[in-house]
Amino acid sequence: DTGVSQNPRHKITKRGQNVTFRCDPISEHNRLYWYRQTLGQGPEFLTYFQNEAQLEKSRLLSDRFSAERPKGSFSTLEIQRTEQGDSAMYLCASSLVEGLTEAFFGQGTRLTVV
Amino acid sequence: QQQVKQSPQSLIVQKGGISIINCAYENTAFDYFPWYQQFPGKGPALLIAIRPDVSEKKEGRFTISFNKSAKQFSLHIMDSQPGDSATYFCAARSPQNSTLTFGKGTMLLVSP
């Protein structure tokens, strides 16, 4: 395990369909974050977990979005009834809670809604 | 309200030159300031980071200068190389939840 892994890398879906992305964090990291990045912008925070508990959600996370982290390991991000505005790169990051530790990002999942 | 402002939006530097990217923040509670490098189609990779009680940190060709009173920090890339061509993001971390607030990014092109 050398880093944060995200699958799929790319997803093209039709408007109105549901999509689910998966993130596998670095194994000893107990914090997991989801960010969204649109073209020409920096990543924006969506939500984060500490172990299996979802502790915070951004206002960006509409009710069509849901995230889970069962057993405090991998996480999934589901988008229901996708819209064209959901097209973006979805990034997952993980870190340790203790100490001044860095967040390590995965390669991201590029979502295109057509 | 953008909490971290980054400039310039794009930068062209000749090989061997110095690349300088600036960021300003508003929230004095931020406790950690990383810089990330991102290549097209890839996730951001941590480059270098600094705490607010330090005024400068150097790692190889990369230096962060931090001015706490002005609420500004900058990334200097010495002897810039074509392989440094990427988008650079500054960020600031919230101590309550360790979430990062990013700047909008600087697209750096180092010409051969």
Side-chain angles (χ1 to χ4, degrees), chain A residues 9 31 33 35 37 40-43 45 48 56 91 100-103 105-107, chain B residues 31-32 36 38 41-44 46 51 89 93 96-100 102-104:
Chain A
R9 293 292 312 279
R31 276 212 176 153
Y33 305 83
Y35 288 81
Q37 184 177 24
Q41 301 293 317
F45 167 72
Y48 89 98
E56 188 169 336
L91 294 162
L100 202 69
T101 58
E102 305 89 352
F105 282 82
Q107 301 275 44
Chain B
D31 69 347
Y32 180 69
Y36 284 84
Q38 187 175 33
K42 304 291 187 182
L46 179 68
R51 298 182 308 181
F89 293 95
R93 190 178 79 168
Q96 302 93 326
N97 54 20
S98 295
T99 58
L100 295 171
F102 284 84
K104 290 193 172 185

Side-chain angles (χ1 to χ4, degrees), chain B residues 1-53:
Chain B
Q1 183 183 11
Q2 186 186 358
Q3 292 197 55
V4 178
K5 293 184 179 179
Q6 183 171 347
S7 63
Q9 191 172 2
S10 63
L11 182 61
I12 300 175
V13 172
Q14 285 198 331
K15 180 181 175 181
I18 302 173
S19 304
I20 302 174
I21 304 170
N22 301 298
C23 283
Y25 63 97
E26 297 167 9
N27 186 350
T28 55
F30 288 141
D31 69 347
Y32 180 69
F33 299 86
W35 285 88
Y36 284 84
Q37 179 189 57
Q38 187 175 33
F39 293 103
K42 304 291 187 182
L46 179 68
L47 195 61
I48 186 173
I50 197 167
R51 298 182 308 181
D53 56 350

Side-chain angles (χ1 to χ4, degrees), chain A residues 81-105:
Chain A
R81 306 180 303 280
T82 52
E83 301 172 356
Q84 285 189 322
D86 297 331
S87 296
M89 174 83 88
Y90 290 84
L91 294 162
C92 176
S94 70
S95 71
L96 289 168
V97 175
E98 296 79 19
L100 202 69
T101 58
E102 305 89 352
F104 293 89
F105 282 82

Side-chain angles (χ1 to χ4, degrees), chain A residues 38-52:
Chain A
T38 53
L39 205 60
Q41 301 293 317
E44 294 175 294
F45 167 72
L46 292 178
T47 187
Y48 89 98
F49 293 82
Q50 183 163 317
N51 300 314
E52 67 275 9

